Amino acid sequence: MVEKFESKSEAEVLELFEGYLDEVEANEYTSYPSKSKFAKYLGLSRNEVYSYFSAHPHAKAKMEDMMSDVLVEGMLLKKYVPSGAIFTLKNVCKWQDAPKQSKSQSEKTSEKERQKLLDEYMQEHGGKLYVAK
């Protein structure tokens, strides 16, 4: 069905993937979206599809986002077993229960708290700000 798959642009491959996902939805989620089934849909080997996405990480990330939408829709429509969909979302689509904050994010002080600390410092030092050199 698809000739010279490896030479296709990311946009072309994602358009093909979107067509595959449209078919999953049109068939009322009777199949589970995956790269393997996408390869079968295209008439290609899994290796060709896996190799393409390994060589194109941006396309892979977008494909995972697109697939996650279909998984969530199918799960909410009670077409997929929730535990299976959740497992796939976490392990294939890189979802997390609660996004982890980086240390720098968790250590940040809000603007209001910083202003309060500065005001207290200024009062303690007679309104003068000392800056270390």
Side-chain angles (χ1 to χ4, degrees):
M1 177 179 190
V2 178
E3 294 178 26
K4 299 184 181 181
F5 184 70
E6 67 278 353
S7 64
K8 292 208 172 286
S9 72
E10 291 183 7
E12 290 172 316
V13 171
L14 291 172
E15 188 174 320
L16 290 169
F17 192 72
E18 186 167 351
Y20 161 69
L21 294 176
D22 288 345
E23 189 170 293
V24 169
E25 293 170 334
N27 290 325
E28 298 184 16
Y29 306 89
T30 55
S31 68
Y32 207 75
S34 69
K35 286 184 275 188
S36 293
K37 288 188 179 176
F38 176 53
K40 188 174 183 176
Y41 167 81
L42 296 175
L44 299 172
S45 71
R46 291 175 181 159
N47 187 42
E48 287 178 89
V49 171
Y50 287 15
S51 294
Y52 184 89
F53 284 115
S54 290
H56 297 87
H58 289 85
K60 181 181 178 193
K62 289 177 185 174
M63 179 270 308
E64 290 168 351
D65 287 344
M66 294 164 70
M67 190 167 65
S68 67
D69 287 345
V70 173
L71 287 167
V72 169
E73 289 171 14
M75 185 175 57
L76 292 174
L77 293 169
K78 299 183 180 180
K79 303 290 184 171
Y80 297 137
V81 176
S83 59
I86 291 168
F87 179 85
T88 304
L89 289 167
K90 287 181 178 180
N91 292 288
V92 175
C93 300
K94 314 294 188 271
W95 281 31
Q96 299 175 10
D97 285 330
K100 297 175 183 162
Q101 293 181 341
S102 65
K103 286 185 180 182
S104 61
Q105 181 74 359
S106 62
E107 293 172 359
K108 286 183 180 176
T109 308
S110 74
E111 183 68 40
K112 190 175 185 179
E113 291 172 316
R114 285 189 295 238
Q115 187 61 48
K116 181 181 173 189
L117 291 170
L118 180 60
D119 291 343
E120 289 173 0
Y121 177 87
M122 298 287 278
Q123 284 179 346
E124 290 175 3
H125 293 86
K128 295 179 182 176
L129 181 61
Y130 298 99
V131 179
K133 293 183 182 181

